[in-house]
Amino acid sequence: MSKRVLQGIVVSDTCDKTVIVRVDRRVIHPVYKKFVTHSKKYAAHDEHDRFHVGDTVQIEESRPISKRKHWVVLGGPGDVAAGRGAAAAAGIAPTVENTVDRAAQQTETRGGAA
């Protein structure tokens, strides 16, 4: 039997080697025929504490790791380009120098002093 793979957003990373992932799914209401969003939170195992709040991740079903933990983080999906995970994967880290340079460039383009 194949293992289920779900995609969600990390909503908590305070536990050691564990992240809480919210998985949203859209279902159609049987009477009103409108889409309703249902969400569920899963505790997933993150061995190296790589993921933080706001990251989009994929989780896979696994053997029971603890009382609540039956999922393992596979990693961030490759097609998601937004967020902190994509910048870290590309090896781009925002530095203080880059931030200061961008502020100076914006001031110069506006025509001098702010």
Side-chain angles (χ1 to χ4, degrees):
M1 182 184 208
S2 63
K3 298 178 181 179
R4 291 185 294 168
V5 176
L6 302 175
Q7 181 174 330
I9 298 173
V10 176
V11 293
S12 174
D13 63 346
T14 56
C15 300
D16 187 35
K17 296 186 180 182
T18 303
V19 292
I20 307 299
V21 180
R22 186 187 72 227
V23 176
D24 294 327
R25 62 185 183 91
R26 293 180 51 176
V27 296
I28 194 160
H29 193 278
V31 175
Y32 299 115
K33 308 301 183 206
K34 298 283 186 178
F35 282 104
V36 180
T37 303
H38 289 274
S39 63
K40 185 172 180 180
K41 292 191 280 188
Y42 296 93
H45 185 65
D46 179 16
E47 180 68 32
H48 303 292
D49 289 325
R50 294 185 306 168
F51 301 101
H52 303 286
V53 174
D55 292 343
T56 302
V57 295
Q58 287 184 336
I59 57 175
E60 180 184 43
E61 201 171 22
S62 71
R63 64 177 178 80
I65 298 168
S66 68
K67 180 180 178 180
R68 299 179 40 226
K69 228 175 5 175
H70 306 277
W71 296 84
V72 175
V73 176
L74 292 179
D79 57 346
V80 176
R84 195 171 32 231
I92 302 169
T95 61
V96 175
E97 294 83 20
N98 292 344
T99 308
V100 172
D101 290 342
R102 271 189 249 129
Q105 288 173 357
Q106 288 176 355
T107 306
E108 291 172 2
T109 58
R110 289 184 189 146

